[in-house]
Amino acid sequence: QNQTNQLQTQLVGLVRDVKSTAYAADLVALKADLAVTLNKPRVIDSTRNVGADSCIARAASGKLAIAYRDSTNNDLKLALCQDAVCSNATLRTVDSSADVGPYTSIVMSLNDTPVIAYVDKGINSSLMLAICGDVNCVNVTSKILDSEGNVGHSNSIAVSSQNQPVIAYYDAQPNSDLKLAFCSDENCSNVTTQTVYSDELVGTYTSIVLTHRDHPIISFHDWGRWQLLLALCEDRACTSSTIRKLDRDGRVGAFTSIALTATGVPVVSYYDNKNQALKLVTCGDAYCSTFTAHTVDGGDGDGNVGQHTSLVISQGNVPIIAYYDVFNGDLKLAVCDPDMANPCSIRVVDSDGNQGQHASLVLTAGGFPVISYFDATNRDLKLVGGMDVS
């Protein structure tokens, strides 16, 4: 226990003060050691076929919330955890009104209450929003945000500094566009929908972050041309935006995940389908005027890795990526240098069967990874953390 506490103390210091490649290398090695000694996968829900479309969020208090789909009953469910290892989960059915729950994304409001975007498949797919009225989500209000055709797929949610939910999503039919839903207040009393980008089959695999001015930045996939795109919105509702083409080298850009560094610079993880590899784009500034694509794992013709990516940036600007190794059926974790000067440290986190689809990653207050994901072998929702620094 004392050795573990010493490792945790060293790691927190390194995460907060990565000043050189040497420090970054120490950080990588230390996190690899912690992954071996501390990470223990835990089954959160094993009620028949559950856990697909998992998405995790952390409250300021340290509590965790995981939104996911109950594929047996076609319901949207929520797991509430009191600590970083989810030692005692409270499971709730959030919406059981119809065929609901795919394409879930979750964020914690400024009041530490879960807010969930998801799809109601019904007759025509609609983009839905579930707003929990309390931290335990005993009271829930569900709203239709967009029902103009087959919409809401590949959604990603954030909340503004005014507690307004903002959702990026794919309009599959009739337009095949990238869209944004912007709520007027924390209860989403009124919603404005905006087409962000329209150019033949664009807008899948969205991931959204907000700048310090609450301007959305969205990474997404151009399915028609198989490229990775970035939309930098020029206002809160994204009535205008600048589009960057970050990677067009082959069939790339699926399974995107975006995060910002401490200075607001975008970083995007994604899947390279052509080379069956996990890749990462680092931008040179907050507007991504320049950018560089890096291969993190794979690309050597031996295996297929990099789907279901989930990216976070630590306080020391260290990119940390959870993702799925398709070839081996493993959940993996990559920890990289801030400047990507050295190869990333790669760790297999769970290899017991077919693990790691629908991976979703957050950091504890101490900077330790916690991942929710789908156990495809047993059809369970799982979580790996084990780094409780509370």
Side-chain angles (χ1 to χ4, degrees):
Q1 182 65 41
N2 289 336
Q3 183 181 9
T4 297
N5 290 338
Q6 290 173 3
L7 284 171
Q8 289 177 337
T9 301
Q10 295 173 44
L11 179 57
V12 170
L14 286 171
V15 167
R16 291 175 179 171
D17 192 21
V18 177
K19 293 182 177 179
S20 67
T21 301
Y23 273 103
D26 288 344
L27 173 65
V28 168
L30 189 55
K31 280 212 165 181
D33 290 341
L34 283 167
V36 170
T37 58
L38 298 178
N39 282 358
K40 294 181 180 179
R42 181 186 297 271
V43 175
I44 304 303
D45 190 350
S46 59
T47 312
R48 299 180 71 180
N49 186 0
V50 294
D53 295 290
S54 90
C55 188
I56 192 169
R58 183 181 72 86
S61 63
K63 295 180 180 180
L64 303 173
I66 309 166
Y68 60 101
R69 177 167 165 81
D70 176 344
S71 299
T72 301
N73 299 300
N74 296 323
D75 294 343
L76 171 66
K77 294 190 74 174
L78 181 70
L80 298 166
C81 307
Q82 301 301 311
D83 54 45
V85 296
C86 204
S87 53
N88 186 18
T90 300
L91 306 181
R92 299 201 183 284
T93 298
V94 177
D95 191 343
S96 59
S97 58
D99 187 356
V100 298
Y103 301 105
T104 66
S105 60
I106 188 171
V107 68
M108 290 297 198
S109 74
L110 302 184
N111 304 318
D112 273 1
T113 55
V115 184
I116 309 166
Y118 62 104
V119 167
D120 179 346
K121 293 178 73 173
I123 298 175
N124 293 307
S125 291
S126 300
L127 174 65
M128 304 289 295
L129 187 70
I131 303 172
C132 295
D134 53 86
V135 294
N136 295 315
C137 208
V138 175
N139 301 299
V140 184
T141 301
S142 292
K143 296 174 177 288
I144 298 174
L145 301 187
D146 190 350
S147 58
E148 298 285 333
N150 184 359
V151 297
H153 298 208
S154 297
N155 65 68
S156 180
I157 190 170
V159 291
S160 73
S161 60
Q162 304 299 314
N163 221 14
Q164 302 154 294
V166 185
I167 304 101
Y169 60 102
Y170 178 51
D171 176 350
Q173 291 177 345
N175 300 305
S176 299
D177 294 340
L178 171 66
K179 295 185 75 175
L180 185 90
F182 177 78
C183 292
S184 60
D185 54 38
E186 62 184 86
N187 298 314
C188 209
S189 303
N190 294 290
V191 62
T192 301
T193 60
Q194 177 72 40
T195 298
V196 177
Y197 190 57
S198 177
D199 189 19
E200 298 180 7
L201 298 175
V202 295
T204 55
Y205 298 107
T206 73
S207 184
I208 189 172
V209 289
L210 302 182
T211 70
H212 68 283
R213 296 187 296 171
D214 286 337
H215 293 186
I217 303 178
I218 309 164
S219 61
F220 61 102
H221 183 221
D222 179 343
W223 185 28
R225 296 175 178 81
W226 277 86
Q227 55 188 350
L228 173 66
L229 301 183
L230 188 73
L232 298 113
C233 298
E234 296 174 12
D235 55 62
R236 295 186 176 194
C238 207
T239 57
S240 61
S241 62
T242 299
I243 304 297
R244 305 281 192 209
K245 297 179 179 180
L246 299 185
D247 193 346
R248 294 180 286 176
D249 185 15
R251 298 168 66 84
V252 298
F255 298 102
T256 82
S257 183
I258 191 171
L260 298 180
T261 68
T263 55
V265 176
V267 181
V268 183
S269 63
Y270 59 103
Y271 177 58
D272 178 342
N273 185 70
K274 177 183 176 181
N275 298 298
Q276 298 185 328
L278 170 66
K279 295 185 75 175
L280 187 78
V281 161
T282 53
C283 294
D285 54 48
Y287 301 99
C288 212
S289 304
T290 61
F291 44 85
T292 305
H294 313 266
T295 297
V296 175
D297 190 10
D300 52 9
D302 184 18
N304 181 4
V305 299
Q307 295 183 13
H308 299 275
T309 79
S310 183
L311 168 71
V312 295
I313 305 293
S314 76
Q315 293 179 11
N317 288 334
V318 174
I320 305 172
I321 312 164
Y323 59 102
Y324 177 53
D325 179 335
V326 183
F327 183 77
N328 294 298
D330 295 342
L331 172 67
K332 299 179 79 173
L333 186 74
V335 183
C336 305
D337 288 351
D339 56 6
M340 296 297 291
N342 298 300
C344 300
S345 175
I346 308 296
R347 179 66 53 184
V348 176
V349 178
D350 192 347
S351 59
D352 185 14
N354 188 356
Q355 310 291 339
Q357 296 178 48
H358 307 283
S360 184
L361 169 66
V362 293
L363 298 182
T364 66
F368 298 96
V370 180
I371 311 165
S372 67
Y373 57 101
F374 180 54
D375 175 347
T377 298
N378 299 297
R379 300 295 184 182
D380 294 340
L381 172 68
K382 293 180 75 175
L383 178 139
V384 60
M387 291 158 286
D388 186 2
V389 295
S390 60

